[in-house]
């Protein structure tokens, strides 16, 4: 983008929350631009079976396609533009907020809504797991029933487990889910499924099996008892860490609550907190971020593009 791009609201991330923010901004007649590094829809592309969202969507990609059409319509009507780029940092000032992109461009606007979601956590990043630095442990949600073996261990009980079970209702394999205390509130949502065997743990040490085929798991339970298992199939379902931009204010767990940010910077969706990471709450928070900015300021401003 070489010419100055005029807008009032810059939205970073075109997942469900970012698109809801853009729809709300456009409906308020605010000049709007969305910065997206990958594809419109964000995590929706990973959801094989969907049931808790308004509308007749049965899969995440269907909803992602609908969101992409919404943005297309806004673009064609000249009410929003989509910038394909990765944002790096955001800074709030008295009169504007600046967003720096990874190609060096700087965009300024009245308000920046950051809805960059979360990225997947790897085993060495979980405080209850010790593991080699780069273990090749596949993600549960990218694995199909054909990839499972009789003794399949799942590291963590994050919500994609429920989605996986709904996506593959006929998979007969038992999933041995190693569940740390922090995941107890999530495992209760799926523990009624007879294909789930919950293994409450406090610590797990993961190392390559001595014969080179699969993994050894040394599991410490909640009472301190240790048991070891060997398995060819260990899958990761550890949840995520916030995809925070530099310049955002973080809480202790690394998330970016809206109330902590500069008045010209709003956060929305999964980025806000470890809890409430659902599509509908993300959409609500995206729309709310724009409404809050709208009622706080009389929007009049522009985005100026500088840099290479
Ligand atoms: C496997 C799986 C199953 C799920 N199942 C369900 C379910 O059944 N029901 C439900 O309600 N929820 C489900 N969820 C959660 C749901 O997908 C999220 O709550 C929702 O997508 C969050 O929306 P978001 O817009 O906050 O973030 P995301 O959907 O993660 O979108 C963030 C967007 O920001 C972009 N982005 C990130 N960083 C940058 C950057 N620096 N610059 C520019 N763009 C950037 C990303 O490319 C992405 O498009 C599931 C999640 C997973 C992973």
């Amino acid at each position: 983008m070489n010419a100055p791009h005029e807008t009032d609201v810059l939205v970073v991330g075109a997942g469900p929350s970012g698109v809801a923010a853009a729809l709300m901004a456009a409906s308020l007649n605010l000049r709007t631009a969305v910065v997206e590094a990958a594809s419109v829809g964000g995590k929706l592309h990973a959801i094989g079976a969907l049931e808790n969202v308004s509308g007749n969507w049965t899969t995440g990609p269907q909803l992602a396609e609908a969101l992409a059409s919404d943005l297309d319509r806004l673009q064609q009507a000249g009410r929003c533009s989509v910038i394909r780029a990765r944002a790096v940092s955001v800074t709030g000032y008295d009169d504007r907020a600046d967003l720096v992109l990874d190609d060096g461009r700087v965009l300024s606007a009245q308000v920046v809504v950051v809805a960059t979601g979360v990225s997947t956590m790897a085993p060495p990043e979980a405080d209850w797991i010790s593991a080699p630095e780069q273990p090749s442990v596949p993600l549960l949600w990218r694995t199909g029933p054909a990839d499972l073996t009789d003794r399949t261990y799942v590291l963590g009980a994050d919500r994609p487990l429920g989605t996986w079970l709904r996506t593959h209702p006929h998979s007969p394999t038992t999933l041995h889910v190693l569940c740390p205390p922090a995941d107890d509130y999530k495992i209760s949502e799926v523990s009624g499924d007879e294909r789930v065997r919950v293994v409450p743990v406090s610590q797990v040490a993961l190392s390559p099996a001595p014969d080179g085929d699969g993994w050894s798991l040394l599991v410490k339970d909640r009472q301190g008892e240790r048991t070891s298992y060997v398995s060819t199939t260990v899958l990761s379902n550890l949840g995520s860490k916030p995809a925070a931009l530099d310049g955002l204010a973080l809480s202790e767990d690394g998330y970016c609550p809206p109330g902590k940010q500069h008045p010209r910077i709003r956060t929305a969706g999964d980025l806000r907190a470890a809890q409430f990471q659902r599509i509908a709450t993300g959409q609500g928070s995206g729309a709310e971020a724009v409404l809050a900015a709208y009622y706080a300021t009389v929007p009049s401003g522009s985005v100026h593009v500088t840099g290479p």
Side-chain angles (χ1 to χ4, degrees), residues 28-74:
L28 292 168
N29 239 0
L30 301 173
R31 292 165 297 179
T32 309
V34 178
V35 177
E36 169 55 54
S39 46
V40 173
K43 291 283 185 310
L44 295 177
H45 294 282
I47 305 178
L50 194 57
E51 56 184 26
N52 62 341
V53 180
S54 313
N56 295 319
W57 325 111
T58 55
T59 71
Q62 284 173 0
L63 178 53
E65 205 177 305
L67 299 188
S69 313
D70 287 339
L71 279 190
D72 280 349
R73 261 189 292 112
L74 290 184

Side-chain angles (χ1 to χ4, degrees), residues 293-307:
Y294 177 72
Y295 289 123
T297 58
V298 177
S300 64
S302 60
V303 167
H304 303 289
V305 182
T306 57

Side-chain angles (χ1 to χ4, degrees), residues 130 178 203-207 216-220 226-229:
S130 66
L178 306 182
Q203 289 286 324
V204 172
L206 184 70
S207 56
S216 291
L217 294 140
L218 182 59
V219 172
K220 191 169 158 194
R226 287 184 163 78
T227 313
S228 58
Y229 305 99

Side-chain angles (χ1 to χ4, degrees), residues 12-18 35-44 46-47 49-53 85-88 115-118 141 159-160 163 166 243 245 268-271 276-280 282:
V12 191
S17 23
V35 177
E36 169 55 54
S39 46
V40 173
K43 291 283 185 310
L44 295 177
I47 305 178
L50 194 57
E51 56 184 26
N52 62 341
V53 180
R86 177 164 292 279
V88 177
T116 45
V118 292
W141 56 268
R159 289 229 168 82
T163 306
R166 286 193 298 280
L245 301 184
D270 284 6
L271 181 67
F276 318 119
Q277 295 196 345
R278 311 306 282 161
I279 296 161

